[in-house]
Amino acid sequence: MLCIGEQRQEWCGGVRRRALVQAGFLGALGLTAPQHAGLCSAVAGRAVILLWLWGGPSHLDLFDPKPDAPSEYRGPYPTLETNVSGMQVTELLPALARRAHQWALVRSLFHQQNDHGIAGTIQMTGRSPQNGRVHPHAGAIVNRLRGNPRLLSGFFVLGDRLQQGHRLIQGEGGGQLGVVYDPLRVTYDPVAGVQLGEVQPPRGVDSARAGRRRSLLDHLAERSPTPTPARDAEALGQMYEKAFSLMTSSEGRRVFELEREPPKVRDAYGRHRFGQSCLLARRLVESGVPFVQVNWSTHVEAEEDAGDGGWDNHYRNFEMLADRQAWPFDQACAALLDDLAQRGLLGTTLVVAVGEFGRTPKINPNAGRDHWPGCYSALLAGGGVRGGQVIGASDARGEAPAAQPHTPEDLCATVLHSAGISRTDVLALGLPVEGEPIHELF
Amino acid sequence: MCLLWACLLRVSRSTSCFSPVSCSSWAAAARRCNRWVLGVLAAAVAAGTAPGSSVRAAPGPRRITTDGRRKQDLAWSPDGRLLACSLYHTAGQIGVALFDPAGRLVRLLSTDPVEMAPAWSPDGKRLAFVHVTHSGTDGELDIHEMDLEGKTRRPVIEERKAFDMYPSWSPDGRQLLFTTTRDRTQEIYVSRADGTAPRRLTSDPSLKQHPCWSPDGKEIAFNSNRDGNFDIYTLDIEGQNLLRLTRERASDTWPAWSPDGRHIAFVSRRDGNPEVYVLNRDGAGARNLSRAPGFDDCPAWMPDGRTLTWVSDRDGGWDVYVLQP
């Protein structure tokens, strides 16, 4: 173990990124000053905001209502006409319904994994784990190919490591691309505000002390029995240089300072964790970060199941949706689309809202819905997506795709396509490619 | 850095829109108009709605809590001196809390991670509530009761592999109303106050929520989707004479019977967002009382029968408002 300040980190087989980041006092230096200076050029780049609805929201009760299905399927929430003729959602999404011209739905996603963790890995990486190897997250690929070299990271996750029960899930990192392309994590707490997490400087470490730690770090890295691969070492070195050169700069921290936003804007997103995280995502994208994932929750489970409000509503599904889940999602997602559009960023920023699967069309004996990978929906907006359209369709009960079936691999390919990354680009990284972009969206 | 974090903390906690900024904005508007009368009125409105103020500025709901934390399941004590509710008090934790009529937190009664949906015994000495027992990360919902200190607790309704919710004491204190999934559909049951002799009142595959007693103890009101979407229904205590009170193509939920038995308050989405409505006992005369663009839900009558209370996010946080309709 390597003990650096208050942090104890493993030291075997190379240098762990988290330890290096903290030792290096990257604290609060998510972005560089030159990057802010070059804001205009950064805005021109393409970006992706993935709203990760962890736990698996019910497609029937939100995006794919089935008013003519039998009562044990359709659920209690009536359909709501959107501002696009013929497009409907349920009454739980009134704000998004008024903006349907901005977004599209894919109602025919499916796969075969009923487990949150595996399904989540597939959805985020676009591929099943093969022989224990986990494919890189789409954000890591975007970071590798489209990341601005002036940025500390081109891939942020707003939220803690995703968990299923007490198990951390795979697929949130750089995979074969290396830990350098893991996301940087920032969290928002309604009371404590923005928490910089792993880039937080340890208490009591000032810039002089950080400099001494940097020297120690260099020394240790040189003496590491298993040197970091050359490519990673170079990337890590660049990262540290950027961070140290700006260690005392307040410029780089500005992007995290939500209080710079007018109260009206913050209110529009909602003063809850998801809403303020969506606002932070917009600020990051505006500053040039090409991929931001906003985690709805850390756990799949609701508070009643020792979680923190995930969409895994095996019971009380209809109370959870109405009381705790649908309204903050509707509020924050609508505000995000408005904000991006107002700033001229929606055309270049793809917003995707999706979970790892849908939920059983048939209501279970506990007044809930269980896991259902056989058919589910995703909402996509911006980034070249034509709003006001529905791609694919589910059958009469929402149990299976009835037209234009698509897989998580297709959705992942669509995300990369919108980010300007081709199949050839991915193959050139030595990564296999599965799935095809859903071209009808564009 | 300390300054930065102090600043972040301060801003993140200032969820109220009734800050000095809003007061000064009103004053500035008045100066621009050069009309001192408007200035005086504006100041009065701002002051009347400021946290802790007891001044009622204008007709309309008056805010009594100011902490902004999510609250649900409001229930006034029979003497009107305490308001019980479910309070989202810490990340991932929901507990039963007591507030005074001025909106001050009196006490958080729950020590377990999740307890919610309190209901007062008619003598005002006990609360029935939903208690969650964790097994790993699975929760099981049962109904317990406790005293007002949260010390003496005991289970009342415990059915393994079933989810028991929405407790409501009968006006004479002898019976307890609740919903349960023990029959593999969500049904309304009534039992003795100690949880014995459970008796099923409903029997159909629809969802049923928020059952509550009429003041005379002869009927119950609840919401169900038996005819499509959620509507408000009444039923006598023998499970007969079902009456549908609302017929909108939008959800009507959270019924709350007025103490005089003449009205039922409820939440409706018929205007596109959750609003607090009240209708007559026979289902006629529905009218919107909340009239705000955000979220208004969880209505509860005060014992005086003239004052209605609910939770609203109209000022940014989740607070309790009162109105005399």
Side-chain angles (χ1 to χ4, degrees):
Chain A
M1 297 287 282
L2 169 66
C3 189
I4 302 169
E6 297 176 349
Q7 304 295 329
R8 292 171 63 82
Q9 300 291 342
E10 293 173 24
W11 184 268
C12 51
V15 182
R16 281 190 58 173
R17 183 168 176 274
R18 180 179 171 82
L20 291 175
V21 165
Q22 287 174 327
F25 193 11
L26 302 191
L29 296 173
L31 299 168
T32 68
Q35 175 269 317
H36 271 271
L39 187 64
C40 292
S41 60
V43 165
R46 298 183 185 185
V48 177
I49 297 175
L50 172 59
L51 306 180
W52 181 246
L53 307 179
W54 189 216
S58 165
H59 52 303
L60 267 72
D61 299 312
L62 296 170
F63 303 118
D64 194 5
K66 298 292 179 187
D68 299 323
S71 61
E72 63 268 34
Y73 286 81
R74 67 174 176 250
Y77 298 113
T79 55
L80 187 63
E81 291 291 339
T82 69
N83 67 342
V84 174
S85 178
M87 270 181 85
Q88 297 176 326
V89 290
T90 73
E91 68 171 9
L92 297 179
L93 303 174
L96 284 170
R98 293 191 293 271
R99 295 159 176 81
H101 63 286
Q102 291 180 318
W103 49 263
L105 286 176
V106 179
R107 282 182 173 156
S108 50
L109 287 167
F110 78 101
H111 59 77
Q112 294 171 337
Q113 287 295 339
N114 210 30
D115 176 84
H116 289 287
I118 298 172
T121 302
I122 295 171
Q123 189 75 69
M124 289 188 290
T125 65
R127 188 173 163 85
S128 299
Q130 303 288 321
N131 302 321
R133 296 187 81 188
V134 179
H135 205 61
H137 189 291
I141 296 173
V142 172
N143 188 13
R144 172 74 174 79
L145 293 172
R146 292 287 179 267
N148 186 331
R150 292 175 300 174
L151 298 176
L152 181 58
S153 177
F155 177 24
F156 276 76
V157 171
L158 307 185
D160 289 320
R161 283 285 305 272
L162 297 171
Q163 295 186 42
Q164 175 187 8
H166 299 298
R167 180 163 59 94
L168 294 172
I169 77 150
Q170 297 179 305
E172 287 192 276
Q176 298 114 290
L177 295 178
V179 293
V180 169
Y181 299 102
D182 280 359
L184 281 183
R185 290 182 186 280
V186 176
T187 60
Y188 176 83
D189 179 89
V191 174
V194 175
Q195 302 290 293
L196 297 175
E198 67 179 11
V199 293
Q200 192 87 26
R203 276 179 295 170
V205 178
D206 59 17
S207 57
R209 193 171 170 192
R212 292 195 295 274
R213 286 185 171 197
R214 173 68 194 278
S215 300
L216 172 63
L217 186 66
D218 290 342
H219 180 68
L220 289 171
E222 286 170 8
R223 293 171 62 89
S224 171
T226 311
T228 307
R231 190 188 65 192
D232 285 359
E234 184 182 346
L236 281 167
Q238 290 173 358
M239 189 167 66
Y240 301 145
E241 286 305 321
K242 286 182 289 189
F244 273 95
S245 68
L246 286 157
M247 199 161 55
T248 56
S249 167
S250 61
E251 294 290 315
R253 291 192 293 266
R254 282 187 182 171
V255 73
F256 302 111
E257 294 170 5
L258 293 182
E259 65 273 22
R260 292 180 179 275
E261 294 287 336
K264 199 172 175 181
V265 171
R266 297 191 69 182
D267 289 344
Y269 279 87
R271 299 273 181 162
H272 38 80
R273 180 176 60 183
F274 186 69
Q276 298 301 293
S277 296
C278 285
L279 174 56
L280 184 54
R282 189 272 290 162
R283 290 177 64 85
L284 286 164
V285 164
E286 191 174 45
S287 297
V289 176
F291 199 107
V292 183
Q293 175 172 317
V294 179
N295 287 346
W296 171 268
S297 58
T298 299
H299 301 268
V300 297
E301 299 93 352
E303 289 86 348
E304 284 86 333
D305 290 332
D308 61 341
W311 298 81
D312 193 23
N313 300 344
H314 289 283
Y315 58 98
R316 304 190 79 229
N317 175 64
F318 305 99
E319 288 90 345
M320 300 285 190
L321 285 173
D323 296 346
R324 303 184 205 171
Q325 295 167 333
W327 65 265
F329 168 73
D330 184 54
Q331 178 185 35
C333 189
L336 177 63
L337 298 184
D338 286 354
D339 204 5
L340 289 170
Q342 193 174 15
R343 291 163 185 273
L345 292 169
L346 191 56
T348 54
T349 305
L350 177 70
V351 177
V352 183
V354 70
E356 67 273 30
F357 40 53
R359 303 206 76 81
T360 44
K362 188 172 183 180
I363 298 169
N364 71 21
N366 296 320
R369 296 189 192 268
D370 302 320
H371 306 173
W372 192 260
C375 190
Y376 61 107
S377 304
L379 180 149
L380 297 97
V385 166
R386 284 186 292 114
Q389 59 170 336
V390 176
I391 305 298
S394 59
D395 62 15
R397 294 178 175 179
E399 293 177 319
Q404 294 174 272
H406 288 290
T407 62
E409 289 85 348
D410 293 338
L411 187 62
C412 196
T414 304
V415 166
L416 295 177
H417 172 76
S418 178
I421 293 172
S422 69
R423 182 185 185 93
T424 308
D425 294 332
V426 179
L427 288 169
L429 293 176
L431 300 172
V433 175
E434 295 184 3
E436 290 291 332
I438 306 172
H439 290 291
E440 301 94 313
L441 282 165
F442 298 93
Chain B
M1 198 61 188
C2 292
L3 186 63
L4 169 68
W5 288 115
C7 188
L8 272 173
L9 200 61
R10 179 177 61 80
V11 172
S12 68
R13 285 176 173 169
S14 62
T15 54
S16 168
C17 75
F18 295 108
S19 63
V21 174
S22 56
C23 297
S24 62
S25 298
W26 278 100
R31 278 197 302 275
R32 280 196 299 276
C33 296
N34 196 23
R35 293 166 63 182
W36 69 270
V37 174
L38 176 60
V40 171
L41 286 173
V45 169
T49 48
S53 169
S54 61
V55 178
R56 177 90 180 276
R62 179 169 59 89
R63 180 181 177 183
I64 60 170
T65 65
T66 57
D67 59 283
R69 290 182 289 184
R70 181 79 167 116
K71 302 167 192 72
Q72 282 186 299
D73 310 311
L74 305 186
W76 285 96
S77 62
D79 63 5
R81 292 182 177 179
L82 289 170
L83 174 66
C85 69
S86 307
L87 179 68
Y88 293 60
H89 57 91
T90 310
Q93 294 194 336
I94 307 169
V96 174
L98 296 177
F99 287 83
D100 69 16
R104 292 178 293 243
L105 178 65
V106 174
R107 157 180 338 123
L108 183 64
L109 296 172
S110 299
T111 53
D112 281 312
V114 176
E115 290 179 339
M116 56 192 181
W120 289 91
S121 64
D123 63 6
K125 295 179 178 176
R126 291 170 294 162
L127 288 164
F129 61 97
V130 174
H131 172 88
V132 179
T133 303
H134 285 143
S135 173
T137 56
D138 288 335
E140 183 168 316
L141 275 59
D142 296 309
I143 294 171
H144 290 202
E145 66 170 40
M146 63 180 162
D147 63 18
L148 302 191
E149 299 296 324
K151 293 174 181 172
T152 307
R153 296 157 168 263
R154 70 177 188 91
V156 182
I157 306 289
E158 276 193 315
E159 180 77 9
R160 273 186 60 80
K161 301 296 180 187
F163 296 93
D164 306 309
M165 297 188 285
Y166 305 119
S168 176
W169 248 302
S170 63
D172 62 7
R174 294 179 179 175
Q175 298 180 89
L176 199 62
L177 197 62
F178 59 98
T179 68
T180 178
T181 59
R182 65 185 63 186
D183 302 308
R184 301 183 68 77
T185 53
Q186 190 174 30
E187 303 296 347
I188 299 174
Y189 271 66
V190 66
S191 73
R192 292 179 186 147
D194 62 2
T196 61
R199 180 165 57 89
R200 182 172 171 171
L201 297 186
T202 59
S203 183
D204 69 82
S206 71
L207 302 159
K208 295 107 188 158
Q209 299 176 340
H210 308 290
C212 65
W213 294 88
S214 64
D216 62 10
K218 294 178 179 176
E219 294 175 281
I220 64 167
F222 61 101
N223 64 267
S224 166
N225 69 327
R226 58 179 297 136
D227 293 305
N229 50 271
F230 280 135
D231 278 307
I232 306 297
Y233 295 81
T234 58
L235 187 68
D236 70 30
I237 201 59
E238 300 304 320
Q240 304 296 317
N241 297 311
L242 181 76
L243 182 62
R244 182 180 177 187
L245 300 188
T246 62
R247 296 173 182 275
E248 293 288 326
R249 281 183 53 83
S251 292
D252 294 320
T253 56
W254 292 95
W257 221 307
S258 67
D260 65 6
R262 295 169 55 200
H263 301 99
I264 294 175
F266 63 103
V267 175
S268 180
R269 289 178 178 262
R270 63 188 68 181
D271 300 313
N273 58 299
E275 299 271 18
V276 172
Y277 270 70
V278 67
L279 50 63
N280 299 334
R281 165 69 189 83
D282 62 2
R287 60 189 191 279
N288 184 346
L289 298 182
S290 53
R291 296 182 180 279
F295 226 84
D296 295 274
D297 66 5
C298 313
W301 294 90
M302 290 188 75
D304 66 7
R306 292 178 290 120
T307 310
L308 190 61
T309 313
W310 70 86
V311 176
S312 176
D313 70 343
R314 62 187 61 205
D315 294 320
W318 290 95
D319 282 305
V320 178
Y321 292 75
V322 298
L323 178 76
Q324 291 190 343

